[in-house]
Amino acid sequence: MSAEKHKAQVDATELVAQTDTGARNLSGSLGTLVAAIAFSWSLFQLYVASSVPFWLHDVTGLKLIFNNSEVRFIHLAFGMVLAGFAYPLFANSPRYRLPWYDWLLIAAAAVSCLYLVVMREAIAERAGLPTDVDLVISSVGLIVLAISVYRTLGLPLVIVAGVFLLYAFFGNQPFLPEAIQWRGASFGKAMWHYWMQLEGVFGVAVGVSASMIFLFVLFGSLLEKAGAGNYFIKSAFALLGHLRGGPAKAAVVASAMSGLYSGSSIANVVTTGTFTIPLMKRTGFPAEKSGAVEVASSVNGQLMPPVMGAAAFLIAEFTGVGYHEVVKHAFVPAVISYIALVYIVHLEALKMNLKGLPKPPARVTLMQRLIGVLTGFIGISLLGMAVYYVLGFFKANIPGLTFPVVMAIFAVIYVFLVRIASKMPDLEVDDPNAPIKELPLASDVGKTGYYFILPIVVLIWCILLERFSPSLSAFYATMAMIFIVLTQHPLKAFFRAQDIAGTFKRGFNDFVEGMIGGARNMIGIAVATAAAGVIVGTVSITGAHQMIGELVEYLSGGNLLLMLVLVAIMSLILGMGLPTTANYLVVSSLMAQVIVDLGAQNGFVVPIIAVHFFVFYFGILADVTPPVGLAAFAAAAISRGDPIKTGVQGFIYSIRTALLPFLFIFNTDLLLIDVTFNHAIFVFAVAVVAMMLFAAATQGYFFARSKMWESLTLLLIAFTLFRPGFWLDMVEPPFHQATGTATMQMLSEAPKEEEVRLRLQGPDFDNPDKTITWTLPLTVAEGDAEARLAAAGLSVFEEDGVMVFEEPFPGTQHAEELQVFDFYGDTPVTLARTEVKAQRMARELFYIPALLLLALVIMVQRRRQTQPAF
């Protein structure tokens, strides 16, 4: 490897160390201490996630069980202590020893967190009345947290959290615009809110980090240490390397597979990019485009379920949507975005007339391969049916034996797959700059690591079939991964009739390094979620999101599309320089409710999960968007290209991802919300075609280089396939509407189970004329409107031809949704309009003219085609 290329790899690795695992490299007894603390953190998280504490309590009688709040305190203590050890505070701080001030900060971090564990009962007794010691501990804790965030993540999150903290204290100052003032908080109240209870730093975000995210990050670290990362990369190259632009297509697929367990787009870039970017350059891609492909695919990996950069669990917690539902909703947008990126790479290769890597000679005939595929498919199907019915029998008849049976099946399949792997040589990490004479056979590469898929299967089985909690599912998957790490080398040696003595040590070393690596990967996430807790805590104590909502409403002038564009831009800005989890926490806390509130005022009702996906997508795109785009800098360090040009090109490739949030906000079918299985397949197929057409339009190439009118036509066709309802709404209104007393007639005649949209108008505590739109499912059969409303806990009466709402009783079904109104003001809250879905023609009819237009474009371009389109 040349000195320049070696330097590029070192620069990229250094960037990952600075942002993910820590750039300080301590040796000797101090290095051993840091490793021991990191290992202990992973061990502690496994301990509290398991049933071992309860078993020990039953056996020993000792209180060895940690409650939810104690786990949060200890979790953050580990994170801030390791931040002090692993991350230098200043650019010129020593990298190989620990300065005296870091010892003080580490001690302060431990004391400020563990004080809450030791004094928890006393703190509970004086709720809301902090002592001087409480205030000192809280102040020290927040200061050390800010320093920990700065040293691990840089200034952006510190500045954002600091602004919110200052707003909590000084939001009542007269120099602030009156529109954003609030009454302000005393020092004691704020400190108690932020540090002494579970509303600020130790709120939901840290709780999710401690209970779920850590285990998934640990799972990914162990998977990587076992060799799965190299396996995924080589599998992708063996499958796709011979195609046009093969290395770039392989980079996309490898990043998608890495995204299954990776919690960092930057680490994803370096993990796969170190190998893929040089190969892309060697096959003809320019440096900036090579880096941009890797950046676009790696950033997309943060949107790939089931982990979604560890944000999926936070989304489930903040939206109240079940985790398995979050995974389902995220599936179609993430997959079609990756398919479109593969197609973009293909179009780039066509434009540059690139070829693939040398294909290995076929060792079998086409018929033999077909028979092999069918045999494998039938075998897997039979195995799946056997497992399903065996587990179903035990679960129905002997529930207590279900788990042992699952373990036995896992062990049998694992040993069988390891035996297959032992017949092949272990995969080595190749030098990406070495010449490739021919690609390996995909079947040969696949055999070496089929067993890596087993823990992922365990994870999906626990979540989707057994419906275990995400934390319990992650625990079982992690334990399965630990078992594989410890046993894969001894088992291979046994089947190869080799000496197994040294292989146990190798497996144990991989286990220890995976545990330490998982903890180090969590440092930034732990402190980021804690800092985001300051923002969430400020929003809860001040209602800051309402102020931002008023600003967006003023700037957008009430225009719904402009409001969404402003929210997207703000999410991009807020997400710059933040890791995935903190990114989601910041943008969702500030921007999600803005869409909900302003949408409701404009008659636009959208599921909460679609809103959170919208802001999350744009927050993640900050990783590729200049000037901050850290993933682009990591890729440029490897490709030796210009980081700004790499970021700009990466954003061009990511336009398809930026388009998706606008599409699924208006067409929730893309999130598989309330769709049948057959319809879901149809939605997926249409979305894939539409996204590929959009990619062709933005790249200016389809079957041949496109003329302007052809690109515009492709955009129109893609839009129609994505949102045929837009054209249908122009032909037929989506709702029948009624006003005044006619609203009650419409409510009486609406069929049961129909979702009726009610538009309410009245005063809130700041605005004398607030309007919201919300849906009310009718749960009783047709009849008197008053009775149907009363069944939902609502009371309405007529006054001068206007239907007036009374305040719902506290605790009833819709009391919280309507508490925005002031029911005791001079102006009543009225039912301004009722809307019921209209019976209309099928919106899919608009696909017909779109497909006819597509046929016309293809026919015209085929005349200019000079090479195969696929």
Side-chain angles (χ1 to χ4, degrees), residues 47-107:
Y47 172 78
V48 296
S50 70
S51 59
V52 173
F54 302 96
W55 176 79
L56 286 176
H57 178 70
D58 292 340
V59 172
T60 65
L62 299 175
K63 186 193 178 302
L64 300 170
I65 302 172
F66 296 91
N67 62 37
N68 186 29
S69 58
E70 291 169 338
V71 171
R72 298 183 191 190
F73 303 148
I74 297 171
H75 176 81
L76 185 57
F78 271 117
M80 291 203 297
V81 166
L82 283 174
F85 278 115
Y87 292 83
L89 183 54
F90 305 109
N92 59 354
S93 295
R95 295 294 193 268
Y96 302 101
R97 62 181 179 83
L98 207 65
W100 63 269
Y101 53 80
D102 276 343
W103 284 110
L104 289 179
L105 290 172
I106 289 167

Side-chain angles (χ1 to χ4, degrees), residues 240-319:
L240 303 173
H242 63 283
L243 303 174
R244 287 181 182 268
K249 293 176 181 176
V252 174
V253 174
S255 293
M257 291 190 287
S258 296
L260 293 174
Y261 60 85
S262 172
S264 167
S265 54
I266 301 168
N268 204 343
V269 165
V270 175
T271 300
T272 57
T274 302
F275 186 72
T276 59
I277 290 175
L279 283 175
M280 280 189 267
K281 290 176 66 178
R282 285 175 53 207
T283 54
F285 274 83
E288 283 76 17
K289 287 191 175 183
S290 299
V293 168
E294 183 59 48
V295 168
S297 55
S298 295
V299 169
N300 240 103
Q302 303 303 285
L303 307 173
M304 177 63 71
V307 177
M308 299 175 68
F313 322 108
L314 291 166
I315 294 173
E317 195 74 23
F318 277 83
T319 61

Side-chain angles (χ1 to χ4, degrees), residues 591-804:
M591 306 311 303
Q593 197 60 39
V594 171
I595 298 179
V596 174
D597 292 343
L598 296 185
Q601 291 181 36
N602 289 276
F604 178 63
V605 180
V606 62
I608 189 67
I609 187 70
V611 172
H612 279 252
F613 276 2
F614 183 93
V615 297
F616 178 54
Y617 266 57
F618 280 103
I620 287 300
L621 283 174
D623 272 350
V624 66
T625 308
V628 177
L630 293 179
F633 279 86
I638 300 171
S639 69
R640 309 313 291 172
D642 182 275
I644 300 299
K645 290 181 180 178
T646 300
V648 170
Q649 185 65 55
F651 185 76
I652 292 172
Y653 289 155
S654 298
I655 290 175
R656 77 205 189 286
T657 306
L659 172 73
L660 278 169
F662 288 97
L663 294 172
F664 60 59
I665 276 282
F666 290 104
N667 181 8
T668 56
D669 284 359
L670 290 172
L671 299 179
L672 302 184
I673 295 176
D674 298 329
V675 298
T676 62
F677 179 76
N678 290 336
H679 186 55
I681 295 175
F682 177 74
V683 167
F684 177 77
V686 172
V688 168
V689 173
M691 187 56 80
M692 292 176 70
L693 293 176
F694 177 81
T698 55
Q699 292 301 307
Y701 196 102
F702 190 27
F703 282 75
R705 290 191 181 275
S706 299
K707 298 178 180 178
M708 179 61 72
W709 74 267
E710 292 170 340
S711 293
L712 292 176
T713 304
L714 289 175
L715 286 176
L716 178 64
I717 296 168
F719 176 77
T720 302
L721 294 178
F722 271 125
R723 196 171 173 235
F726 175 83
W727 306 111
L728 180 58
D729 290 346
M730 297 177 68
V731 176
E732 294 182 303
F735 297 98
H736 295 306
Q737 300 180 351
T739 58
T741 56
T743 59
M744 304 303 283
Q745 180 70 22
M746 179 172 281
L747 282 171
S748 299
E749 296 174 353
K752 185 183 177 182
E753 307 300 336
E754 181 70 67
E755 282 197 344
V756 177
R757 287 161 51 109
L758 304 181
R759 190 165 179 82
L760 273 61
Q761 189 171 4
D764 67 5
F765 299 96
D766 299 310
N767 182 1
D769 189 24
K770 185 178 182 66
T771 302
I772 66 169
T773 302
W774 55 292
T775 57
L776 175 70
L778 298 177
T779 57
V780 296
E782 296 181 19
D784 183 67
E786 285 83 355
R788 302 184 85 173
L789 291 172
L794 302 172
S795 179
V796 183
F797 64 91
E798 182 182 349
E799 185 177 278
D800 299 328
V802 177
M803 306 311 300
V804 178

Side-chain angles (χ1 to χ4, degrees), residues 348-557:
E348 289 280 24
L350 283 173
K351 287 190 285 186
M352 291 183 280
N353 195 26
L354 302 182
K355 306 299 180 184
L357 296 173
K359 191 175 180 180
R363 295 197 301 230
V364 293
T365 64
L366 177 62
M367 182 58 67
Q368 288 174 318
R369 276 190 284 175
L370 181 62
I371 293 173
V373 169
L374 290 174
T375 303
F377 178 77
I378 295 171
I380 292 172
S381 301
L382 291 175
L383 180 62
M385 291 175 60
V387 171
Y388 177 81
Y389 285 110
V390 168
L391 292 182
F393 171 80
F394 280 99
K395 191 170 183 178
N397 299 284
I398 319 174
L401 284 181
T402 303
F403 188 69
V405 169
V406 170
M407 292 178 63
I409 293 174
F410 171 86
V412 169
I413 297 175
Y414 168 64
V415 171
F416 174 71
L417 294 178
V418 172
R419 182 172 184 179
I420 292 176
S422 68
K423 299 180 184 299
M424 308 296 299
D426 291 338
L427 294 179
E428 300 291 337
V429 179
D430 294 330
D431 179 359
N433 300 295
I436 297 180
K437 296 181 179 179
E438 67 179 37
L439 289 166
L441 281 171
S443 58
D444 290 347
V445 175
K447 292 175 184 177
T448 64
Y450 284 142
Y451 59 89
F452 287 135
I453 302 172
L454 283 178
I456 300 175
V457 172
V458 169
L459 176 65
I460 295 173
W461 172 72
C462 289
I463 291 172
L464 299 183
L465 298 182
E466 292 296 327
R467 298 296 174 90
F468 291 160
S469 68
S471 57
L472 186 59
S473 302
F475 172 75
Y476 284 138
T478 303
M479 295 307 296
M481 197 64 241
I482 290 173
F483 177 73
I484 288 176
V485 170
L486 290 171
T487 61
Q488 62 170 334
H489 298 305
L491 278 175
K492 285 181 183 178
F494 172 77
F495 287 125
R496 291 168 178 166
Q498 297 172 345
D499 182 22
I500 65 173
T503 57
F504 285 105
K505 183 178 180 181
R506 181 182 175 187
F508 182 77
N509 289 340
D510 287 346
F511 162 67
V512 172
E513 290 175 12
M515 294 279 279
I516 294 171
R520 291 189 70 124
N521 290 339
M522 269 302 299
I523 298 172
I525 295 175
V527 299
T529 51
V534 173
I535 298 170
V536 175
T538 302
V539 170
S540 68
I541 199 174
T542 67
H545 66 278
Q546 295 178 358
M547 176 266 293
I548 296 176
E550 291 173 2
L551 174 64
V552 172
E553 183 179 18
Y554 171 76
L555 293 175
S556 65

